[in-house]
Amino acid sequence: MFDLTSFTFATPWVLLGLAVLPLLWFLLRVSPPAPKRQIFPAVRILSTLIPEEETPARTPWWLLLLRLLAAALIILGLARPLLNPDTSLTGSGPLVIVVDNGWAAARDWSVRQATMDRLIDLAAREERPVVIAPTAPTAPTASTARASTSDSIEIMSAGDARTLARGLQPHPWPVDRASAVNEVTAMDLPGSANVHWLSDGLSEAGDDALAEALQQLGGLTVHQPDSGAMPILLSSQPNLSGELTVRVQRPSTSSLTIVTLQASGQDGRILGQQEVPFEPGALSSTVDVELPLELRNDVGRIVVLGQGTAGATLLGDAGLRRRPVGIATQTLDENQPLLSPNFFVDQAVNPYGQVKKGTVSELERSGNAEIAQTDSYPLTPEDRGIVNSWVNDGGMLVRFAGPTIARGEPDNLLPVALRGGDRIIGGALSWSDPATLATFETASPFAGLEIPEDVQVQRQVLAEPSLELAAKTWARLSDGTPIVTGERRESGWVVLVHTTATTEWSNLAISGLFVEMMQRLVRLSQGLVGGDDDGMLAPVQTLDAFGRLSDPADGAVAVSGRNFSETEVGPDHPPGYYGSDAARRAFTLGG
């Protein structure tokens, strides 16, 4: 049954036009004057003609009623009738809208804007002032030295609030609800406010205190997104097996139970799609993206279909692709390339890394994640200075033993101190057989690799015993002596394989284990190090809240390369690419 109590008008004063309907009745019922009759004898035939149109003496009643109805409907339409409108706002004070406009709100931003429009219409009908409090910090401008806690928060008219709400956009970083609410609670609001919190669905520490503070202002209504509109967060996961591993996080077990990942190339073409299910009760799911190695190296971004947010966008950089590995060589024209130690290293690294060859200075300038140096390339004092700075900036130096290192000359690019000379195992003057490798320890980067029984070591360089030796040992022989050692040097690594990269001292170099060990070392490296990087990575491109790349946002500042992984996404450092066009590093919400 139709209920007239659910029917109202946005502009009821227009209904005064109904008072003129009687006047319209009088005007519409007036008949035109009767036509004069003139006899024209000369044309008697005209009297026998039947006229095609006849003018009635007065307007028909049904036509008059139809015209009055049309006029009444026009008046009712101008009065803006509303069926089942929101009755009214509670309290006597202003309307306060606290809106989460961080990255998570981009998923259903149009719904939030429609909600703000509806609430502001209510305030306009009741002639109430409006306060709009965005919770995401704004980016710094030329007039501000640093980011402010939120957009300008002030009491305004409904018309000004509508303009502000329609121009409000989400930011590609998390919200700071506490700062926004502190500004609102510090305002002198007249009367009891009607507060509406448009939440993005993500909870933070202190949300209970936030809700309590908002309730102190007046009646509080919290608007939550539907479970299907909850945001998804992507992040890349380190994987020593060389796979492209992605972690997908959902905020609630009642939200999406399966999502679809889409990988696209740097030119925008789609490379592949893959569904990721969530286990019942699990908030995250980890998956290896199934792409051929050639396509993986071309990945420009991975997104969650249907999300369209910065958090559901994973940008591709050297961390997702084959990492550049340099092999130190004095000349590219070696006399016996198939017997060269560089050949064995090249064959082991090439399936998983982008191999470059050249002198140490050339490799440092070209930018590499790892530099492999065999005993056939002795390091000069100048080379040691270049490599030492490169390692401190985050590079990984992998060295292989040989006669040069065995001579025990002073060398500051070794992870452990060495004894002079080399140890021969299983030789004519030795009572022991060639040694095999012991099982890799849990803390070793090689943990979990299966050791073939036929891998044997005949010669090695020995490390001097010390208290730190056990912590620096990544692989041992069956007799407990180190065969691979590594040491952290500021942001980088120095690694030493205590045998040669050829079959001269062992058959490790021709085993599948050697390939797997080199693969683990490549994955342990940090990506792209060197080149013209001076320690500060300038923004190259940044993401907006909807996951779209563009020129660097206003206020975006450079990120320290040394503290890149510890830097948080925010107004000063929005997500995107940092570094240079030649060596870009992806900076994303998921890390």
Side-chain angles (χ1 to χ4, degrees):
M1 182 176 181
F2 186 73
D3 186 5
L4 290 178
T5 60
S6 64
F7 198 82
T8 186
F9 297 92
T11 54
W13 59 269
V14 179
L15 296 178
L16 295 176
L18 296 174
V20 303
L21 288 180
L23 179 60
L24 290 175
W25 172 277
F26 177 76
L27 294 176
L28 292 174
R29 69 184 297 275
V30 173
S31 301
K36 292 182 180 182
R37 190 170 185 179
Q38 182 68 40
I39 299 176
F40 186 37
V43 192
R44 296 184 62 86
I45 193 173
L46 293 177
S47 62
T48 62
L49 295 178
I50 300 176
E52 295 181 0
E53 295 183 2
E54 295 181 356
T55 302
R58 62 179 60 249
T59 304
W61 67 268
W62 57 269
L63 181 59
L64 180 62
L65 182 61
L66 185 61
R67 290 173 177 174
L68 288 175
L69 181 61
L73 290 177
I74 291 175
I75 294 173
L76 292 175
L78 292 176
R80 298 174 61 193
L82 301 174
L83 183 62
N84 293 323
D86 295 315
T87 54
S88 62
L89 298 174
T90 60
S92 59
L95 167 67
V96 177
I97 302 177
V98 179
V99 53
D100 289 340
N101 63 325
W103 69 268
R107 174 69 176 83
D108 60 343
W109 185 248
S110 59
V111 176
R112 296 173 188 276
Q113 286 191 314
T115 304
M116 286 190 287
D117 278 344
R118 177 176 56 83
L119 294 173
I120 294 171
D121 285 342
L122 281 175
R125 287 201 295 270
E126 300 184 17
E127 297 183 350
R128 293 222 202 163
V130 181
V131 176
I132 297 181
T135 59
T138 58
T141 61
S143 59
T144 59
R146 56 186 303 174
S148 59
T149 55
S150 62
D151 290 315
S152 177
I153 299 177
E154 58 183 10
I155 300 177
M156 64 190 76
S157 65
D160 293 339
R162 185 177 290 107
T163 302
L164 175 61
R166 292 177 179 176
L168 193 64
Q169 292 295 318
H171 295 299
W173 46 76
V175 298
D176 185 4
R177 296 172 182 149
S179 298
V181 172
N182 288 339
E183 292 191 32
V184 174
T185 53
M187 299 175 65
D188 186 14
L189 300 178
S192 176
N194 185 219
V195 185
H196 289 260
W197 177 11
L198 277 60
S199 173
D200 58 15
L202 302 183
S203 61
E204 294 182 351
D207 279 355
D208 292 340
L210 167 64
E212 183 178 351
L214 292 177
Q215 285 179 328
Q216 297 297 324
L217 301 176
L220 172 62
T221 302
V222 179
H223 301 260
Q224 291 273 14
D226 296 334
S227 59
M230 297 290 276
I232 299 293
L233 184 64
L234 282 186
S235 60
S236 60
Q237 291 289 104
N239 190 326
L240 294 179
S241 66
E243 299 294 333
L244 174 53
T245 305
V246 176
R247 185 186 186 196
V248 187
Q249 296 175 268
R250 60 176 178 173
S252 171
T253 56
S254 61
S255 58
L256 297 174
T257 58
I258 186 170
V259 298
T260 302
L261 297 182
Q262 177 177 285
S264 56
Q266 301 179 56
D267 56 359
R269 61 191 177 95
I270 298 176
L271 302 180
Q273 293 184 359
Q274 184 172 341
E275 290 187 344
V276 182
F278 288 94
E279 296 292 336
L283 293 177
S284 65
S285 180
T286 303
V287 62
D288 293 336
V289 178
E290 298 175 357
L291 284 175
L293 187 60
E294 294 77 8
L295 293 181
R296 172 185 162 178
N297 292 332
D298 191 40
V299 170
R301 66 167 56 199
I302 298 174
V303 300
V304 179
L305 289 182
Q307 284 286 312
T309 67
T313 302
L314 185 63
L315 297 177
D317 62 1
L320 295 184
R321 307 188 191 106
R322 289 201 308 176
R323 304 193 176 186
V325 177
I327 299 178
T329 57
Q330 293 177 333
T331 175
L332 298 180
D333 298 324
E334 298 171 338
N335 295 329
Q336 294 179 312
L338 297 182
L339 300 179
S340 167
N342 293 333
F343 173 77
F344 291 91
V345 176
D346 187 348
Q347 293 300 303
V349 173
N350 195 48
Y352 309 102
Q354 181 182 357
V355 177
K356 303 177 183 179
K357 295 182 180 180
T359 62
V360 165
S361 58
E362 291 173 343
L363 296 176
E364 190 275 337
R365 287 194 301 269
S366 63
N368 288 279
E370 176 184 315
I371 292 180
Q373 180 253 327
T374 63
D375 197 63
S376 64
Y377 185 99
L379 294 176
T380 65
E382 181 181 0
D383 291 338
R384 290 193 179 97
I386 294 174
V387 174
N388 188 64
S389 299
W390 176 80
V391 168
N392 292 338
D393 289 338
M396 171 177 281
L397 175 65
V398 179
R399 305 185 67 181
F400 293 86
T404 303
I405 291 181
R407 284 197 291 267
E409 298 177 358
D411 195 332
N412 63 341
L413 288 176
L414 293 174
V416 295
L418 301 178
R419 293 183 180 180
D422 56 281
R423 174 195 182 198
I424 301 177
I425 310 172
L429 301 179
S430 173
W431 294 94
S432 61
D433 297 326
T436 58
L437 271 66
T439 303
F440 298 117
E441 298 178 1
T442 305
S444 170
F446 312 127
L449 294 182
E450 184 177 351
I451 301 175
E453 297 180 357
D454 58 348
V455 173
Q456 296 180 340
V457 177
Q458 289 84 24
R459 299 177 70 174
Q460 70 177 133
V461 291
L462 289 174
E464 287 284 359
S466 66
L467 296 177
E468 299 84 9
L469 181 60
K472 296 179 180 181
T473 300
W474 291 359
R476 301 176 184 273
L477 294 180
S478 54
D479 60 5
T481 57
I483 193 64
V484 180
T485 54
E487 181 186 32
R488 188 78 172 180
R489 295 282 181 90
E490 295 191 12
S491 299
W493 292 93
V494 173
V495 181
L496 175 64
V497 180
H498 291 237
T499 187
T500 59
T502 63
T503 58
E504 186 178 358
W505 286 14
S506 74
N507 63 353
L508 175 64
I510 58 174
S511 67
L513 177 63
F514 183 67
V515 177
E516 294 177 334
M517 293 172 66
M518 293 302 298
Q519 178 187 358
R520 292 284 182 97
L521 294 178
V522 171
R523 294 300 303 169
L524 186 62
S525 62
Q526 292 189 4
L528 195 62
V529 181
D532 298 328
D533 179 20
D534 60 355
M536 296 301 294
L537 307 178
V540 179
Q541 288 181 303
T542 55
L543 286 172
D544 65 6
F546 302 99
R548 299 173 299 202
L549 271 176
S550 61
D551 293 335
D554 295 338
V557 298
V559 178
S560 170
R562 191 176 302 276
N563 302 319
F564 190 81
S565 59
E566 289 80 21
T567 304
E568 295 184 357
V569 172
D572 295 327
H573 309 299
Y577 284 115
Y578 287 76
S580 62
D581 290 332
R584 301 188 301 176
R585 296 185 68 178
F587 186 55
T588 57
L589 278 158

